[in-house]
């Protein structure tokens, strides 16, 4: 079982969707390639809209994890690369929609000057641990 913690003596998340520490449970570790707001045809979803792009990125992650028996709740660590500091409130809001604060992964946000495709505003890189009783080998 995943254990989340926020010890005294360090700054607090104050209800934001991350925890200072996450103890990795027993299970299969799944490293997910950075996910962006591409649909199945590699078309950008939500050009110019960080909220729409983050939602699509999380939906992509959800699909990838489901292929191995996982869920977003199995994510223990997540890095989000983003372009514009003005998008932080939108990023935090959408992240909170997908991850309840008390069970959210350890997380880092990194502002970067650009991503590979100019229309992309952010990229999500999660690591998940799928419990043995749910894990199954993906078919593709």
């Amino acid at each position: 079982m995943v254990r989340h913690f926020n010890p005294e003596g360090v700054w607090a998340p104050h209800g934001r969707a991350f925890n200072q520490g996450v103890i990795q449970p027993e299970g299969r570790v799944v490293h997910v390639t950075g996910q962006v707001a591409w649909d199945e045809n590699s078309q950008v979803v939500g050009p110019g809209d960080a909220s729409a792009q983050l939602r699509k990125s999380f939906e992509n992650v959800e699909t990838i994890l489901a292929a191995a028996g996982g869920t977003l709740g199995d994510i223990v660590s997540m890095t989000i690369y983003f372009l514009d500091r003005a998008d932080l409130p939108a990023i935090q809001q959408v992240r909170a929609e997908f991850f309840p604060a008390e069970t959210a992964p350890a997380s880092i946000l990194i502002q970067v000057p650009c991503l590979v495709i100019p229309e992309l505003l952010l990229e999500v890189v999660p690591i998940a641990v799928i419990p043995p009783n749910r894990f199954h080998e993906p078919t593709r």
Side-chain angles (χ1 to χ4, degrees), residues 50-91:
S51 294
Q53 288 199 13
L54 187 55
R55 280 187 186 91
K56 181 57 180 167
S57 298
F58 285 154
E59 289 167 4
N60 289 345
V61 170
E62 196 168 34
T63 299
I64 292 163
L65 293 177
T71 69
L72 291 177
D74 296 323
I75 295 174
V76 295
S77 179
M78 179 170 52
T79 301
I80 299 176
Y81 298 94
F82 68 101
L83 301 182
D84 189 348
R85 215 171 154 69
D87 290 333
L88 282 175
I91 290 169

Side-chain angles (χ1 to χ4, degrees), residues 10 41-43 57 68 71 78 89 105 120 134:
V10 297
N41 299 310
S42 300
Q43 299 299 308
S57 298
T71 69
M78 179 170 52
L120 296 173
R134 281 194 281 113

Side-chain angles (χ1 to χ4, degrees), residues 5-13 20:
F5 63 99
N6 295 290
E8 291 184 23
V10 297
W11 54 278
Q20 294 291 5

Side-chain angles (χ1 to χ4, degrees), residues 1 9 26 30 36 42 45 63 71 73 75 78 81 83 85-86 93-94 130-131 137 139:
M1 176 177 195
E26 186 177 323
V30 179
V36 295
S42 300
V45 172
T63 299
T71 69
I75 295 174
M78 179 170 52
Y81 298 94
L83 301 182
R85 215 171 154 69
Q93 178 184 351
V94 173
I130 302 173
E137 290 293 331
T139 57

